[in-house]
Amino acid sequence: MFKFALAIFLEFCFLAISVKAFTASGWTKAHATFYGGSEASGTMGGACGYGNLYSTGYGTSTAALSTALFNDGASCGQCYKIMCDYETDSRWCIKGSSVTITATNFCPPNYALPNNAGGWCNPPLQHFDMAQPAWEKIGIYRGGIIPVMYQRVPCNKDGGVRFTINGRAYFELVLITNVANAGSIQSVSIKGSKTSWMVMSRNWGANWQSNAYLNGQSLSFRVTTTDGETRDFLNVAPANWAFGQTFSSKTQF
């Protein structure tokens, strides 16, 4: 009995040690502008596919990333702490302030304009086009564009990871939201109650697709975030799920 209890204890310790917490990166220089209006109504939707950012929990602390940061959608959901570089531009920076945003959109390049005069999101520039309410926490409105320092940080989320199932029969398009820590997703697999695990592919942004017929089956998901952490979300959607529904799990990263 003692040996059995000891084995369980050691296994628990191993699991506890093996769980990695996402840690913040170093600071990097970039620039930031703003869009979407004073209430951020123009930031809804976006290239990550999160739709209404209020109902999906992202609010107004969001940003569109330039090509150099967006990584073809693989950066969707990542969180960044941004502060204005007061030493570089004391006129338009709010000294000592910072804001944490989530990547929810893509800032496309404008090759008709030079990188330093309107083509802010042109490669290879690292640029944040922030929701106006978030930007105004670190910059003065009339400045328009400010130099910033940023670091990627863990995402803090309330509740578990959420799965919204769209599409049609033989085409499940699953939007995954409210992902903590790394925030961004590397790979996803899906499993029906009558199937084995099947690898999904990124359709666009945070939307992942499957081409299996899964109607009438409870659905499970295996998600790996970009820091290599994997979680199984078992039977998140019951067998009577319908397209257009969102299911909240009790599991988080």
Side-chain angles (χ1 to χ4, degrees), residues 16-84:
I17 293 170
S18 66
V19 173
K20 298 179 295 181
F22 182 81
T23 55
S25 68
W27 291 94
T28 303
K29 288 181 177 291
H31 283 83
T33 47
F34 61 85
Y35 79 114
S38 59
E39 296 180 353
S41 57
T43 65
M44 299 297 117
C48 289
Y50 293 133
N52 186 316
L53 299 178
Y54 294 111
S55 61
T56 49
Y58 297 102
T60 61
S61 296
T62 64
L65 307 187
S66 64
T67 301
L69 292 170
F70 190 66
N71 196 21
D72 291 326
S75 297
C76 287
Q78 291 181 357
C79 296
Y80 297 87
K81 184 177 181 180
I82 303 175
M83 60 187 302
C84 198

Short mmCIF file of all heavy atoms in Angstrom, two decimals, residues 16-84:
data_model
loop_
_atom_site.label_atom_id
_atom_site.label_comp_id
_atom_site.label_asym_id
_atom_site.label_seq_id
_atom_site.Cartn_x
_atom_site.Cartn_y
_atom_site.Cartn_z
N ALA A 16 3.40 17.72 -12.10
CA ALA A 16 3.43 19.11 -11.65
C ALA A 16 4.66 19.81 -12.18
O ALA A 16 4.62 20.96 -12.61
CB ALA A 16 3.40 19.17 -10.12
N ILE A 17 5.80 19.10 -12.18
CA ILE A 17 7.04 19.70 -12.64
C ILE A 17 7.03 19.89 -14.14
O ILE A 17 7.58 20.85 -14.68
CB ILE A 17 8.25 18.83 -12.20
CG1 ILE A 17 8.38 18.87 -10.68
CG2 ILE A 17 9.53 19.32 -12.84
CD1 ILE A 17 9.38 17.85 -10.13
N SER A 18 6.37 18.95 -14.87
CA SER A 18 6.42 18.97 -16.32
C SER A 18 5.53 20.05 -16.93
O SER A 18 5.67 20.38 -18.09
CB SER A 18 6.01 17.60 -16.89
OG SER A 18 4.66 17.33 -16.59
N VAL A 19 4.59 20.58 -16.16
CA VAL A 19 3.72 21.64 -16.68
C VAL A 19 4.52 22.94 -16.78
O VAL A 19 5.07 23.43 -15.81
CB VAL A 19 2.49 21.84 -15.77
CG1 VAL A 19 1.70 23.05 -16.22
CG2 VAL A 19 1.63 20.59 -15.79
N LYS A 20 4.57 23.50 -17.98
CA LYS A 20 5.33 24.71 -18.20
C LYS A 20 4.40 25.92 -18.27
O LYS A 20 3.39 25.88 -18.95
CB LYS A 20 6.13 24.60 -19.51
CG LYS A 20 7.15 23.49 -19.55
CD LYS A 20 7.85 23.45 -20.89
CE LYS A 20 6.89 23.08 -22.01
NZ LYS A 20 7.56 23.00 -23.33
N ALA A 21 4.78 26.96 -17.58
CA ALA A 21 4.01 28.20 -17.66
C ALA A 21 4.67 29.09 -18.71
O ALA A 21 5.89 29.19 -18.78
CB ALA A 21 3.99 28.90 -16.31
N PHE A 22 3.85 29.70 -19.56
CA PHE A 22 4.39 30.59 -20.57
C PHE A 22 4.99 31.82 -19.90
O PHE A 22 4.37 32.43 -19.03
CB PHE A 22 3.28 31.01 -21.53
CG PHE A 22 3.75 31.89 -22.65
CD1 PHE A 22 4.36 31.36 -23.76
CD2 PHE A 22 3.61 33.26 -22.56
CE1 PHE A 22 4.81 32.17 -24.78
CE2 PHE A 22 4.05 34.09 -23.57
CZ PHE A 22 4.65 33.54 -24.69
N THR A 23 6.18 32.20 -20.29
CA THR A 23 6.86 33.33 -19.68
C THR A 23 6.99 34.47 -20.68
O THR A 23 7.03 34.24 -21.90
CB THR A 23 8.25 32.94 -19.17
OG1 THR A 23 9.01 32.36 -20.25
CG2 THR A 23 8.14 31.92 -18.04
N ALA A 24 7.07 35.68 -20.17
CA ALA A 24 7.16 36.86 -21.02
C ALA A 24 8.48 36.90 -21.78
O ALA A 24 9.51 36.41 -21.31
CB ALA A 24 7.00 38.12 -20.16
N SER A 25 8.45 37.51 -22.96
CA SER A 25 9.64 37.67 -23.77
C SER A 25 10.38 38.94 -23.34
O SER A 25 9.93 39.67 -22.46
CB SER A 25 9.25 37.78 -25.25
OG SER A 25 8.56 39.02 -25.48
N GLY A 26 11.50 39.21 -24.00
CA GLY A 26 12.20 40.47 -23.78
C GLY A 26 11.48 41.61 -24.49
O GLY A 26 10.49 41.41 -25.20
N TRP A 27 11.98 42.82 -24.32
CA TRP A 27 11.37 44.01 -24.92
C TRP A 27 11.94 44.25 -26.31
O TRP A 27 13.13 44.09 -26.54
CB TRP A 27 11.60 45.23 -24.04
CG TRP A 27 10.84 45.19 -22.76
CD1 TRP A 27 11.28 44.73 -21.55
CD2 TRP A 27 9.49 45.62 -22.54
NE1 TRP A 27 10.30 44.84 -20.60
CE2 TRP A 27 9.19 45.39 -21.18
CE3 TRP A 27 8.52 46.18 -23.37
CZ2 TRP A 27 7.95 45.70 -20.64
CZ3 TRP A 27 7.28 46.49 -22.82
CH2 TRP A 27 7.00 46.25 -21.47
N THR A 28 11.05 44.66 -27.24
CA THR A 28 11.44 44.93 -28.63
C THR A 28 10.83 46.26 -29.05
O THR A 28 9.72 46.61 -28.65
CB THR A 28 10.92 43.81 -29.56
OG1 THR A 28 11.43 42.55 -29.12
CG2 THR A 28 11.37 44.06 -31.00
N LYS A 29 11.55 47.00 -29.89
CA LYS A 29 11.06 48.29 -30.39
C LYS A 29 10.10 48.09 -31.57
O LYS A 29 10.28 47.18 -32.38
CB LYS A 29 12.23 49.17 -30.83
CG LYS A 29 13.07 49.73 -29.68
CD LYS A 29 14.18 50.61 -30.21
CE LYS A 29 15.00 51.24 -29.09
NZ LYS A 29 14.22 52.26 -28.35
N ALA A 30 9.08 48.92 -31.64
CA ALA A 30 8.12 48.89 -32.74
C ALA A 30 7.44 50.26 -32.80
O ALA A 30 7.88 51.22 -32.15
CB ALA A 30 7.09 47.78 -32.54
N HIS A 31 6.36 50.35 -33.59
CA HIS A 31 5.54 51.56 -33.64
C HIS A 31 4.08 51.15 -33.52
O HIS A 31 3.72 49.99 -33.76
CB HIS A 31 5.78 52.34 -34.94
CG HIS A 31 7.05 53.12 -34.95
ND1 HIS A 31 8.26 52.55 -35.27
CD2 HIS A 31 7.30 54.42 -34.64
CE1 HIS A 31 9.21 53.46 -35.18
NE2 HIS A 31 8.66 54.61 -34.81
N ALA A 32 3.23 52.10 -33.16
CA ALA A 32 1.81 51.81 -33.00
C ALA A 32 0.96 52.97 -33.49
O ALA A 32 1.28 54.14 -33.23
CB ALA A 32 1.48 51.50 -31.54
N THR A 33 -0.10 52.64 -34.20
CA THR A 33 -1.14 53.58 -34.59
C THR A 33 -2.46 53.08 -33.99
O THR A 33 -2.47 52.12 -33.22
CB THR A 33 -1.25 53.65 -36.13
OG1 THR A 33 -1.29 52.31 -36.65
CG2 THR A 33 -0.06 54.38 -36.73
N PHE A 34 -3.58 53.72 -34.36
CA PHE A 34 -4.86 53.25 -33.84
C PHE A 34 -5.92 53.29 -34.94
O PHE A 34 -5.78 53.97 -35.95
CB PHE A 34 -5.30 54.07 -32.63
CG PHE A 34 -5.49 55.55 -32.91
CD1 PHE A 34 -6.69 56.03 -33.42
CD2 PHE A 34 -4.48 56.46 -32.64
CE1 PHE A 34 -6.87 57.38 -33.67
CE2 PHE A 34 -4.64 57.81 -32.89
CZ PHE A 34 -5.84 58.28 -33.41
N TYR A 35 -6.99 52.51 -34.71
CA TYR A 35 -8.11 52.46 -35.65
C TYR A 35 -9.37 52.06 -34.91
O TYR A 35 -9.33 51.72 -33.74
CB TYR A 35 -7.82 51.47 -36.79
CG TYR A 35 -8.02 50.00 -36.46
CD1 TYR A 35 -9.02 49.24 -37.08
CD2 TYR A 35 -7.21 49.34 -35.52
CE1 TYR A 35 -9.21 47.90 -36.79
CE2 TYR A 35 -7.38 47.99 -35.23
CZ TYR A 35 -8.38 47.28 -35.87
OH TYR A 35 -8.56 45.95 -35.58
N GLY A 36 -10.50 52.12 -35.60
CA GLY A 36 -11.74 51.58 -35.06
C GLY A 36 -12.64 52.53 -34.32
O GLY A 36 -13.74 52.14 -33.91
N GLY A 37 -12.19 53.79 -34.11
CA GLY A 37 -13.04 54.75 -33.43
C GLY A 37 -12.92 54.70 -31.92
O GLY A 37 -12.36 53.77 -31.34
N SER A 38 -13.48 55.72 -31.27
CA SER A 38 -13.32 55.87 -29.82
C SER A 38 -13.99 54.75 -29.03
O SER A 38 -13.62 54.50 -27.89
CB SER A 38 -13.89 57.22 -29.37
OG SER A 38 -15.27 57.32 -29.70
N GLU A 39 -14.97 54.07 -29.62
CA GLU A 39 -15.62 52.93 -28.95
C GLU A 39 -15.16 51.59 -29.51
O GLU A 39 -15.69 50.54 -29.15
CB GLU A 39 -17.15 53.05 -29.07
CG GLU A 39 -17.70 54.29 -28.36
CD GLU A 39 -19.21 54.39 -28.49
OE1 GLU A 39 -19.79 53.58 -29.24
OE2 GLU A 39 -19.80 55.28 -27.86
N ALA A 40 -14.20 51.65 -30.42
CA ALA A 40 -13.61 50.46 -31.04
C ALA A 40 -14.60 49.65 -31.86
O ALA A 40 -14.38 48.47 -32.13
CB ALA A 40 -12.96 49.56 -29.98
N SER A 41 -15.69 50.28 -32.30
CA SER A 41 -16.70 49.56 -33.08
C SER A 41 -16.13 49.06 -34.41
O SER A 41 -16.57 48.04 -34.94
CB SER A 41 -17.92 50.44 -33.33
OG SER A 41 -17.55 51.64 -34.00
N GLY A 42 -15.15 49.78 -34.94
CA GLY A 42 -14.55 49.40 -36.22
C GLY A 42 -13.55 48.27 -36.13
O GLY A 42 -12.97 47.87 -37.14
N THR A 43 -13.33 47.75 -34.93
CA THR A 43 -12.37 46.65 -34.77
C THR A 43 -13.07 45.29 -34.75
O THR A 43 -12.39 44.26 -34.68
CB THR A 43 -11.56 46.81 -33.47
OG1 THR A 43 -12.44 46.68 -32.34
CG2 THR A 43 -10.87 48.16 -33.41
N MET A 44 -14.41 45.27 -34.78
CA MET A 44 -15.12 44.00 -34.72
C MET A 44 -14.81 43.15 -35.95
O MET A 44 -14.49 43.67 -37.02
CB MET A 44 -16.62 44.23 -34.62
CG MET A 44 -17.07 45.02 -33.40
SD MET A 44 -16.71 44.22 -31.81
CE MET A 44 -15.57 45.42 -31.11
N GLY A 45 -14.94 41.85 -35.80
CA GLY A 45 -14.59 40.96 -36.91
C GLY A 45 -13.08 40.78 -36.95
O GLY A 45 -12.46 40.44 -35.95
N GLY A 46 -12.49 41.01 -38.10
CA GLY A 46 -11.04 40.94 -38.19
C GLY A 46 -10.53 39.62 -38.73
O GLY A 46 -11.25 38.62 -38.82
N ALA A 47 -9.26 39.61 -39.08
CA ALA A 47 -8.64 38.48 -39.78
C ALA A 47 -8.44 37.24 -38.91
O ALA A 47 -8.09 36.19 -39.43
CB ALA A 47 -7.30 38.92 -40.37
N CYS A 48 -8.64 37.36 -37.61
CA CYS A 48 -8.55 36.18 -36.74
C CYS A 48 -9.88 35.46 -36.63
O CYS A 48 -9.94 34.32 -36.15
CB CYS A 48 -8.04 36.56 -35.35
SG CYS A 48 -6.29 37.04 -35.34
N GLY A 49 -10.96 36.13 -37.03
CA GLY A 49 -12.27 35.48 -37.03
C GLY A 49 -12.99 35.49 -35.71
O GLY A 49 -13.95 34.72 -35.54
N TYR A 50 -12.59 36.34 -34.78
CA TYR A 50 -13.21 36.33 -33.46
C TYR A 50 -14.60 36.97 -33.45
O TYR A 50 -15.31 36.88 -32.44
CB TYR A 50 -12.32 37.03 -32.44
CG TYR A 50 -11.03 36.31 -32.15
CD1 TYR A 50 -9.82 36.99 -32.13
CD2 TYR A 50 -11.02 34.94 -31.88
CE1 TYR A 50 -8.62 36.32 -31.86
CE2 TYR A 50 -9.84 34.27 -31.60
CZ TYR A 50 -8.64 34.96 -31.60
OH TYR A 50 -7.47 34.30 -31.34
N GLY A 51 -14.99 37.63 -34.53
CA GLY A 51 -16.33 38.19 -34.61
C GLY A 51 -16.52 39.37 -33.67
O GLY A 51 -15.70 40.29 -33.63
N ASN A 52 -17.61 39.36 -32.92
CA ASN A 52 -17.90 40.43 -31.96
C ASN A 52 -16.93 40.29 -30.79
O ASN A 52 -17.04 39.37 -29.98
CB ASN A 52 -19.35 40.33 -31.48
CG ASN A 52 -19.73 41.50 -30.60
OD1 ASN A 52 -18.99 41.91 -29.72
ND2 ASN A 52 -20.93 42.04 -30.83
N LEU A 53 -16.00 41.22 -30.70
CA LEU A 53 -14.94 41.11 -29.69
C LEU A 53 -15.45 41.30 -28.28
O LEU A 53 -14.79 40.89 -27.32
CB LEU A 53 -13.82 42.12 -30.00
CG LEU A 53 -13.14 41.94 -31.35
CD1 LEU A 53 -12.10 43.03 -31.57
CD2 LEU A 53 -12.50 40.56 -31.46
N TYR A 54 -16.63 41.91 -28.13
CA TYR A 54 -17.23 42.03 -26.80
C TYR A 54 -17.75 40.67 -26.33
O TYR A 54 -17.45 40.22 -25.22
CB TYR A 54 -18.36 43.06 -26.80
CG TYR A 54 -17.91 44.48 -27.06
CD1 TYR A 54 -18.23 45.13 -28.25
CD2 TYR A 54 -17.17 45.18 -26.11
CE1 TYR A 54 -17.81 46.43 -28.49
CE2 TYR A 54 -16.75 46.48 -26.34
CZ TYR A 54 -17.07 47.10 -27.54
OH TYR A 54 -16.66 48.38 -27.77
N SER A 55 -18.52 40.00 -27.19
CA SER A 55 -19.13 38.73 -26.79
C SER A 55 -18.11 37.61 -26.67
O SER A 55 -18.31 36.66 -25.92
CB SER A 55 -20.23 38.34 -27.77
OG SER A 55 -19.72 38.17 -29.07
N THR A 56 -17.00 37.71 -27.41
CA THR A 56 -15.97 36.67 -27.31
C THR A 56 -14.94 36.97 -26.23
O THR A 56 -13.99 36.20 -26.04
CB THR A 56 -15.25 36.47 -28.67
OG1 THR A 56 -14.86 37.73 -29.21
CG2 THR A 56 -16.16 35.75 -29.65
N GLY A 57 -15.11 38.10 -25.53
CA GLY A 57 -14.30 38.36 -24.35
C GLY A 57 -13.04 39.17 -24.55
O GLY A 57 -12.27 39.36 -23.60
N TYR A 58 -12.82 39.69 -25.75
CA TYR A 58 -11.58 40.42 -26.01
C TYR A 58 -11.73 41.93 -25.80
O TYR A 58 -10.74 42.62 -25.57
CB TYR A 58 -11.07 40.12 -27.42
CG TYR A 58 -10.73 38.65 -27.61
CD1 TYR A 58 -11.59 37.79 -28.27
CD2 TYR A 58 -9.56 38.13 -27.08
CE1 TYR A 58 -11.29 36.45 -28.41
CE2 TYR A 58 -9.25 36.78 -27.22
CZ TYR A 58 -10.12 35.95 -27.88
OH TYR A 58 -9.83 34.61 -28.02
N GLY A 59 -12.94 42.43 -25.91
CA GLY A 59 -13.19 43.83 -25.61
C GLY A 59 -12.47 44.80 -26.52
O GLY A 59 -12.34 44.58 -27.73
N THR A 60 -11.97 45.89 -25.94
CA THR A 60 -11.31 46.94 -26.71
C THR A 60 -9.79 46.91 -26.57
O THR A 60 -9.11 47.73 -27.18
CB THR A 60 -11.82 48.32 -26.27
OG1 THR A 60 -11.52 48.53 -24.89
CG2 THR A 60 -13.33 48.44 -26.48
N SER A 61 -9.27 45.98 -25.82
CA SER A 61 -7.81 45.87 -25.66
C SER A 61 -7.25 44.91 -26.70
O SER A 61 -6.83 43.79 -26.41
CB SER A 61 -7.46 45.40 -24.24
OG SER A 61 -7.85 46.35 -23.29
N THR A 62 -7.30 45.36 -27.97
CA THR A 62 -6.93 44.51 -29.09
C THR A 62 -6.05 45.28 -30.06
O THR A 62 -5.91 46.50 -29.98
CB THR A 62 -8.17 44.00 -29.83
OG1 THR A 62 -8.86 45.12 -30.41
CG2 THR A 62 -9.11 43.25 -28.90
N ALA A 63 -5.49 44.55 -31.02
CA ALA A 63 -4.67 45.19 -32.04
C ALA A 63 -4.61 44.33 -33.29
O ALA A 63 -4.76 43.10 -33.24
CB ALA A 63 -3.25 45.44 -31.53
N ALA A 64 -4.40 45.00 -34.42
CA ALA A 64 -4.08 44.34 -35.68
C ALA A 64 -2.56 44.33 -35.82
O ALA A 64 -1.90 45.34 -35.55
CB ALA A 64 -4.72 45.08 -36.86
N LEU A 65 -2.00 43.21 -36.24
CA LEU A 65 -0.56 43.06 -36.33
C LEU A 65 -0.08 43.19 -37.78
O LEU A 65 -0.76 42.76 -38.72
CB LEU A 65 -0.12 41.69 -35.81
CG LEU A 65 -0.58 41.27 -34.41
CD1 LEU A 65 0.11 39.96 -34.01
CD2 LEU A 65 -0.30 42.36 -33.39
N SER A 66 1.10 43.76 -37.95
CA SER A 66 1.70 43.84 -39.28
C SER A 66 2.12 42.45 -39.74
O SER A 66 2.16 41.49 -38.96
CB SER A 66 2.91 44.77 -39.26
OG SER A 66 3.92 44.26 -38.41
N THR A 67 2.47 42.33 -41.03
CA THR A 67 2.85 41.05 -41.61
C THR A 67 3.96 40.37 -40.81
O THR A 67 3.94 39.16 -40.58
CB THR A 67 3.32 41.25 -43.06
OG1 THR A 67 2.24 41.83 -43.82
CG2 THR A 67 3.72 39.93 -43.70
N ALA A 68 4.92 41.16 -40.35
CA ALA A 68 6.07 40.60 -39.63
C ALA A 68 5.68 39.95 -38.31
O ALA A 68 6.39 39.06 -37.82
CB ALA A 68 7.10 41.71 -39.37
N LEU A 69 4.54 40.34 -37.76
CA LEU A 69 4.08 39.79 -36.47
C LEU A 69 2.91 38.82 -36.63
O LEU A 69 2.77 37.90 -35.81
CB LEU A 69 3.65 40.94 -35.54
CG LEU A 69 4.75 41.87 -35.04
CD1 LEU A 69 4.13 43.09 -34.34
CD2 LEU A 69 5.67 41.14 -34.08
N PHE A 70 2.10 38.99 -37.67
CA PHE A 70 0.85 38.23 -37.80
C PHE A 70 1.09 36.75 -38.10
O PHE A 70 0.32 35.89 -37.67
CB PHE A 70 -0.02 38.85 -38.88
CG PHE A 70 -1.42 38.31 -38.95
CD1 PHE A 70 -2.32 38.51 -37.91
CD2 PHE A 70 -1.85 37.60 -40.06
CE1 PHE A 70 -3.61 38.02 -37.97
CE2 PHE A 70 -3.14 37.10 -40.14
CZ PHE A 70 -4.02 37.31 -39.08
N ASN A 71 2.12 36.46 -38.86
CA ASN A 71 2.52 35.07 -39.13
C ASN A 71 1.38 34.25 -39.75
O ASN A 71 1.11 33.12 -39.34
CB ASN A 71 3.01 34.40 -37.83
CG ASN A 71 3.79 33.12 -38.09
OD1 ASN A 71 4.30 32.90 -39.18
ND2 ASN A 71 3.87 32.28 -37.07
N ASP A 72 0.72 34.85 -40.75
CA ASP A 72 -0.37 34.17 -41.47
C ASP A 72 -1.47 33.65 -40.55
O ASP A 72 -2.11 32.63 -40.83
CB ASP A 72 0.18 33.01 -42.31
CG ASP A 72 1.03 33.49 -43.48
OD1 ASP A 72 0.72 34.57 -44.03
OD2 ASP A 72 2.01 32.80 -43.84
N GLY A 73 -1.70 34.33 -39.45
CA GLY A 73 -2.77 33.96 -38.53
C GLY A 73 -2.32 33.13 -37.35
O GLY A 73 -3.08 32.94 -36.40
N ALA A 74 -1.09 32.65 -37.39
CA ALA A 74 -0.60 31.81 -36.28
C ALA A 74 -0.42 32.61 -35.00
O ALA A 74 -0.31 32.02 -33.91
CB ALA A 74 0.71 31.14 -36.67
N SER A 75 -0.40 33.94 -35.10
CA SER A 75 -0.25 34.78 -33.91
C SER A 75 -1.59 35.20 -33.31
O SER A 75 -1.61 35.89 -32.28
CB SER A 75 0.58 36.03 -34.25
OG SER A 75 1.89 35.68 -34.63
N CYS A 76 -2.69 34.82 -33.93
CA CYS A 76 -4.00 35.18 -33.39
C CYS A 76 -4.14 34.69 -31.95
O CYS A 76 -3.85 33.54 -31.64
CB CYS A 76 -5.11 34.56 -34.24
SG CYS A 76 -5.31 35.34 -35.85
N GLY A 77 -4.59 35.59 -31.09
CA GLY A 77 -4.78 35.24 -29.68
C GLY A 77 -3.60 35.54 -28.79
O GLY A 77 -3.73 35.46 -27.56
N GLN A 78 -2.47 35.87 -29.36
CA GLN A 78 -1.30 36.20 -28.53
C GLN A 78 -1.51 37.53 -27.81
O GLN A 78 -2.21 38.41 -28.29
CB GLN A 78 -0.04 36.26 -29.38
CG GLN A 78 0.40 34.91 -29.91
CD GLN A 78 1.68 34.97 -30.74
OE1 GLN A 78 2.25 36.05 -30.97
NE2 GLN A 78 2.13 33.82 -31.19
N CYS A 79 -0.89 37.67 -26.66
CA CYS A 79 -1.02 38.89 -25.86
C CYS A 79 0.32 39.62 -25.80
O CYS A 79 1.38 39.00 -25.69
CB CYS A 79 -1.49 38.54 -24.45
SG CYS A 79 -3.15 37.81 -24.42
N TYR A 80 0.23 40.94 -25.86
CA TYR A 80 1.42 41.78 -25.85
C TYR A 80 1.23 42.93 -24.86
O TYR A 80 0.18 43.57 -24.84
CB TYR A 80 1.67 42.37 -27.23
CG TYR A 80 1.95 41.35 -28.31
CD1 TYR A 80 0.91 40.76 -29.02
CD2 TYR A 80 3.26 40.98 -28.62
CE1 TYR A 80 1.16 39.81 -30.01
CE2 TYR A 80 3.52 40.04 -29.62
CZ TYR A 80 2.46 39.47 -30.30
OH TYR A 80 2.71 38.53 -31.28
N LYS A 81 2.25 43.17 -24.08
CA LYS A 81 2.29 44.35 -23.23
C LYS A 81 3.03 45.44 -24.00
O LYS A 81 4.16 45.22 -24.47
CB LYS A 81 3.01 44.05 -21.91
CG LYS A 81 3.01 45.22 -20.93
CD LYS A 81 3.68 44.83 -19.62
CE LYS A 81 3.66 45.98 -18.62
NZ LYS A 81 4.30 45.60 -17.33
N ILE A 82 2.40 46.59 -24.14
CA ILE A 82 2.95 47.67 -24.97
C ILE A 82 3.05 48.95 -24.14
O ILE A 82 2.11 49.32 -23.43
CB ILE A 82 2.07 47.92 -26.20
CG1 ILE A 82 1.91 46.62 -27.02
CG2 ILE A 82 2.65 49.02 -27.07
CD1 ILE A 82 0.96 46.76 -28.19
N MET A 83 4.19 49.60 -24.23
CA MET A 83 4.36 50.90 -23.58
C MET A 83 4.99 51.87 -24.56
O MET A 83 5.78 51.48 -25.42
CB MET A 83 5.22 50.78 -22.32
CG MET A 83 6.61 50.26 -22.52
SD MET A 83 7.49 49.97 -20.95
CE MET A 83 7.43 51.59 -20.23
N CYS A 84 4.60 53.12 -24.48
CA CYS A 84 5.14 54.14 -25.36
C CYS A 84 6.59 54.42 -24.99
O CYS A 84 6.96 54.46 -23.80
CB CYS A 84 4.31 55.42 -25.25
SG CYS A 84 4.55 56.56 -26.63
#
